[in-house]
Amino acid sequence: MIEIENVTYTYMKKTPFEKTALQNINFKIEAGEFLAVAGHTGSGKSTLIQVIAGLIDLSEGSVKIDGENVKKKSARQKIGIVFQYPEHQLFEETIEKDISFGPRNFGLSEEEISKRVDESMKAVDLDLNLKNRSPFELSGGQRRRIAIAGILALKPKYLILDEPTAGLDPKAREKLLSEIQALHKSGVTVILVSHSMEDIAKLAGRVIVLARGKILFDGKPRELFTQPEILKTAGLMPPAVTGLMEEISAAGFEVEKNLITIDEAVECLVKKFKKGL
């Protein structure tokens, strides 16, 4: 479990540029959850995930990972964080060397490192025959999966992903999302930061919405998308399919309006079509 208690964080204190990014944040993340964090630019999302990962020294509040302060090495090793555009962090001459960099710094045996490289490549659907290729010869989507594999090779219990699909084409985006979903099903706790309400609706069991450094909403995505005032305040839009079903309903067709994924909408419309035959 991750416990965030009474966290407030202010950048550049006692200067003309002082800015409070987080204000009295309190919540818990249970092991095995798929939690999404949403909010407009400047809402505090990036600061929050850095706080959770122990990358920021707190002056107010605390973060505990399975009961230990996040500043302890044993606690931090349970968290893997993948920043937006992680492929920009690739630097080794081969894919194998890039993925093995973290485990090797942990002082693991060559046998264990090799095992972890293979496991993490398989987890993100990378062909093992690519090991000796340069990561810079591959597509943007493949490079992103290499970067994620490098984090997975550290075997984190909690995985933080900051806008993992940013800049990817639709096919690469869907492939990466399905792999993230599979990682969660394998037992990894996932914390997803995303602007995409479609991704959140499809993947997350719970969503926290931030606005001006405060928690505006904490609950199920379906509950969030029925509260337009919260979405408006946070500068967010519901999934496109939700608006589409509302328009179909407003046009006089009897369909469910509170649908949040394409699969739900397709199932609803197919049933409606069959009923009309």
Side-chain angles (χ1 to χ4, degrees):
M1 177 190 292
I2 299 177
E3 300 169 271
I4 297 95
E5 298 179 347
N6 305 317
V7 167
T8 294
Y9 188 78
T10 303
Y11 289 100
M12 304 183 76
K13 276 188 175 181
K14 298 179 181 179
T15 75
F17 306 102
E18 180 174 307
K19 176 179 172 56
T20 299
L22 297 173
Q23 300 183 55
N24 194 34
I25 300 295
N26 290 273
F27 67 96
K28 297 178 181 179
I29 305 170
E30 298 288 343
E33 270 199 277
F34 196 125
L35 171 72
V37 179
H40 202 268
T41 302
S43 62
K45 303 189 305 297
S46 295
T47 302
L48 178 61
I49 61 173
Q50 291 181 68
V51 163
I52 294 173
L55 302 178
I56 288 178
D57 289 323
L58 290 175
S59 55
E60 298 179 57
S62 67
V63 175
K64 293 181 180 178
I65 312 296
D66 294 336
E68 290 187 303
N69 189 292
V70 73
K71 282 302 172 184
K72 289 189 176 181
K73 184 178 179 180
S74 56
R76 288 200 309 276
Q77 286 181 346
K78 295 179 181 181
I79 298 178
I81 183 167
V82 181
F83 290 104
Q84 191 172 1
Y85 301 112
E87 62 271 26
H88 294 173
Q89 299 167 226
L90 300 176
F91 59 91
E92 290 283 8
E93 60 187 15
T94 69
I95 291 168
E96 182 175 25
K97 287 182 178 179
D98 229 309
I99 296 173
S100 65
F101 180 81
R104 184 161 280 111
N105 280 351
F106 275 7
L108 301 178
S109 68
E110 288 301 316
E111 182 181 1
E112 177 63 20
I113 291 170
S114 179
K115 179 183 175 183
R116 290 196 182 194
V117 169
D118 287 358
E119 288 176 347
S120 60
M121 286 184 71
K122 289 176 182 177
V124 295
D125 196 27
L126 282 169
D127 190 331
L128 297 184
N129 292 323
L130 295 174
K131 281 184 187 179
N132 294 321
R133 292 274 299 277
S134 167
F136 306 106
E137 296 175 357
L138 304 183
S139 69
Q142 287 174 310
R143 290 199 300 273
R144 184 148 319 169
R145 302 211 304 276
I146 293 166
I148 294 173
I151 298 299
L152 294 180
L154 299 173
K155 290 191 176 295
K157 182 177 179 180
Y158 303 96
L159 179 63
I160 302 172
L161 298 161
D162 186 6
E163 300 285 358
T165 62
L168 297 183
D169 62 61
K171 185 177 180 180
R173 177 178 169 276
E174 286 304 313
K175 189 170 185 60
L176 182 57
L177 288 175
S178 67
E179 287 156 3
I180 292 169
Q181 193 170 35
L183 286 171
H184 175 246
K185 288 180 178 178
S186 74
V188 177
T189 303
V190 177
I191 302 159
L192 172 71
V193 176
S194 180
H195 282 96
S196 171
M197 297 300 101
E198 283 75 16
D199 293 353
I200 289 173
K202 182 178 181 180
L203 299 174
R206 175 184 169 203
V207 57
I208 286 177
V209 176
L210 295 177
R212 297 181 181 178
K214 296 180 180 179
I215 293 178
L216 195 60
F217 176 88
D218 183 352
K220 295 184 180 301
R222 196 177 303 277
E223 296 169 359
L224 170 63
F225 301 139
T226 61
Q227 301 185 51
E229 286 303 314
I230 289 178
L231 291 170
K232 183 179 179 181
T233 300
L236 301 173
M237 295 290 290
V241 71
T242 302
L244 174 62
M245 296 306 285
E246 288 179 350
E247 288 182 18
I248 291 173
S249 176
F253 294 92
E254 292 184 7
V255 294
E256 294 179 54
K257 292 186 288 184
N258 189 24
L259 302 179
I260 62 175
T261 69
I262 292 175
D263 289 345
E264 287 180 349
V266 169
E267 182 181 358
C268 173
L269 293 173
V270 167
K271 284 181 179 179
K272 182 68 178 175
F273 176 75
K274 288 182 176 179
K275 188 177 179 181
L277 288 177

